[in-house]
Amino acid sequence: MKIAVAGASGRAGSVITKELSRRGHAVTAIARNPEKIAALPNVTPTKGDVLDQAGLARLWSGHDVAVSSVHFLASNPLKLIGAAKDSKVGRYLVVGGAGSLEVAPGVELVTASGFPAQYKAEAEAGSAFLELLRQEKELNWTFLSPSALFTEGERTARFRLGTDQLLADANGKSWITFADYAIALADEIERPVHLRQRFTVGY
C-alpha cells in the first residue's frame, strides 16, 4: 500500500514508519526536517508542515492511507481533518492519546484525580480531536489510543486491544511500547476492523 505518515521523525512516528517499511509498504515519511528521518527501504523522506492544510493535502493525495503522528498542541485538528478530506485519501489514522480513555463509566482518564498536570492540556486537545472525528460524516477515520504510559521498549507482538476503556496489565500498570503500538496500527491498516472508531492497545 501507499501510506503517508505525518510526523515521521517523532518518537512514535519514526517507529510506525519503520514497521510499515518492514512490511513492504511504500511510505511517504513527512516531517518539517526530513533529514531527521532514518534511511529505510521503501521510505521517501519528504518535507511538509502539518499546519499547512493545502500543502499536506497535496502530499497525502494519491495515497491509500494517511497517518498523523503529531502532538495535538503543535497541530490543528481542523486542518488535519481538512487535509485528509481534501486529499481524497482512502483512510485517515490518528495516533491518539490515552487521556480520553475511560477509567470508569463516563469518566475520562484526563479528568481523574492524580492525572499529571503537565500532560493535561495535550490530553484535553486529544479528546477534542476525537470528538471532531466522531462528528465526521465523510472521512473514513480511525483513532488509536495508546495506554497511559507510551514508551520506548521491545517489539513483542503480544498485547491486547480494547475500545474506549483504559487497559492495564495484571499489576495495574497501563502501558505500551512504541514498537507494539506500531504493530497494532499497521495491523489495522492491513486488516481494517475499527472504521470510524477509536480503539486502544495495551498489555
Side-chain angles (χ1 to χ4, degrees), residues 85 128-138 141:
K85 290 163 74 170
F129 196 160
L130 177 58
E131 283 310 306
L132 284 173
L133 288 170
R134 284 174 166 160
Q135 294 165 28
E136 266 303 315
K137 299 293 186 265
E138 303 167 37
W141 62 272

Side-chain angles (χ1 to χ4, degrees), residues 49-186:
D49 184 350
V50 295
L51 293 173
D52 176 4
Q53 179 175 328
L56 194 59
R58 283 193 296 273
L59 291 177
W60 282 351
S61 181
H63 290 81
D64 301 299
V65 178
V67 177
S68 66
S69 178
V70 294
H71 289 293
F72 301 122
L73 292 176
S75 58
N76 181 323
L78 292 172
K79 290 185 176 182
L80 288 167
I81 291 169
K85 290 163 74 170
D86 294 344
S87 71
K88 310 293 187 197
V89 72
R91 288 188 72 193
Y92 175 52
L93 285 88
V94 177
V95 175
S100 58
L101 290 165
E102 292 186 347
V103 292
V107 180
E108 292 187 352
L109 176 63
V110 68
T111 67
S113 63
F115 188 87
Q118 66 267 35
Y119 301 128
K120 192 155 188 148
E122 178 75 11
E124 288 172 343
S127 295
F129 196 160
L130 177 58
E131 283 310 306
L132 284 173
L133 288 170
R134 284 174 166 160
Q135 294 165 28
E136 266 303 315
K137 299 293 186 265
E138 303 167 37
L139 193 60
N140 187 7
W141 62 272
T142 299
F143 188 100
L144 175 52
S145 288
S147 290
L149 181 62
F150 197 19
T151 186
E152 307 285 349
E154 64 179 312
R155 183 184 188 275
T156 71
R158 295 189 302 273
F159 49 78
R160 294 181 294 144
L161 301 180
T163 52
D164 291 317
Q165 288 73 43
L166 186 74
L167 296 174
D169 65 16
N171 298 315
K173 181 180 179 183
S174 176
W175 68 297
I176 191 70
T177 64
F178 295 125
D180 280 340
Y181 178 97
I183 292 174
L185 188 78

Side-chain angles (χ1 to χ4, degrees), residues 28-40:
T28 301
I30 301 164
R32 205 172 271 172
N33 300 297
E35 65 277 6
K36 293 182 179 179
I37 296 167
L40 292 166

